[in-house]
């Protein structure tokens, strides 16, 4: 399992928008300062808009903004919108890829790990990322 640039850059962009929530819409050029090519960033933000996570405003004062508060958007929401749910193994997402999937003990482990990863991603909000000093990276002590 490896996160693609879609997921990484999408999270960078959403974090940037969360940092600038009180400043209104952010022009694409400003968001691109995170180090993502504007054309690619525009595609990612379009996908996030269609998923209900970003809003857009046209015109001179237009740009991109979060569609919800930072507390209401999770890292899992962002990754799901751009990549789909993460899976440790192909057989977790598609039983047909292996003839042993019905009885495979390993597949149950991969499914458990995939579910745990996705649950953890759903528990981390953009607000948590903004409040890094309060952000507990130890999953055993998270609420």
């Amino acid at each position: 399992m490896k996160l693609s640039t879609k997921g990484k850059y999408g999270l960078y962009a959403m974090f940037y928008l969360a940092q600038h929530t009180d400043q209104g819409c952010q022009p694409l050029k400003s968001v691109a300062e995170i180090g993502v090519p504007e054309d690619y960033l525009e595609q990612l933000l379009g996908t996030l808009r269609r998923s209900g996570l970003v809003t857009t405003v046209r015109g001179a004062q237009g740009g991109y903004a979060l569609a919800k508060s930072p507390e209401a958007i999770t890292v899992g929401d962002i990754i799901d919108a751009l990549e789909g749910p993460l899976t440790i193994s192909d057989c977790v997402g598609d039983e047909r890829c292996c003839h042993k999937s019905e009885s495979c003990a390993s597949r149950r482990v991969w499914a458990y790990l995939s579910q745990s990863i996705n649950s953890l991603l759903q528990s981390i909000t953009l607000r948590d990322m903004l409040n890094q000093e309060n952000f507990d990276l130890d999953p055993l002590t998270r609420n």
Side-chain angles (χ1 to χ4, degrees):
M1 174 187 81
K2 188 173 180 181
L3 196 60
S4 77
T5 56
K6 286 193 295 188
K8 291 177 193 175
Y9 290 170
L11 182 57
Y12 297 158
M14 292 294 284
F15 182 67
Y16 179 91
L17 293 177
Q19 289 176 307
H20 297 87
T21 298
D22 297 337
Q23 298 167 13
C25 288
Q26 296 297 305
L28 183 64
K29 212 174 241 352
S30 296
V31 182
E33 290 173 4
I34 60 173
V36 180
E38 283 187 40
D39 291 344
Y40 191 40
L41 183 60
E42 193 168 26
Q43 291 174 15
L44 297 176
L45 290 169
T47 299
L48 292 164
R49 182 188 54 77
R50 288 186 293 279
S51 296
L53 300 175
V54 169
T55 60
T56 58
V57 175
R58 293 183 184 268
Q61 300 299 316
Y64 296 88
L66 297 180
K68 304 174 189 175
S69 68
E71 304 74 38
I73 300 174
T74 68
V75 173
D77 295 335
I78 298 163
I79 300 301
D80 284 351
L82 295 168
E83 308 251 5
L86 297 179
T87 58
I88 269 301
S89 175
D90 290 339
C91 68
V92 173
D94 182 7
E95 294 175 352
R96 297 170 294 160
C97 79
C98 177
H99 68 281
K100 296 187 291 182
S101 64
E102 293 285 325
S103 61
C104 180
S106 295
R107 182 175 181 268
R108 287 191 283 278
V109 171
W110 307 146
Y112 177 76
L113 286 171
S114 297
Q115 189 269 334
S116 297
I117 290 167
N118 284 295
S119 292
L120 182 59
L121 291 175
Q122 286 296 336
S123 75
I124 303 168
T125 66
L126 288 174
R127 175 63 62 205
D128 293 329
M129 291 177 67
L130 290 169
N131 299 331
Q132 286 183 1
E133 66 278 358
N134 299 326
F135 185 39
D136 185 359
L137 292 175
D138 184 351
L140 298 176
T141 61
R142 284 184 62 88
N143 298 0

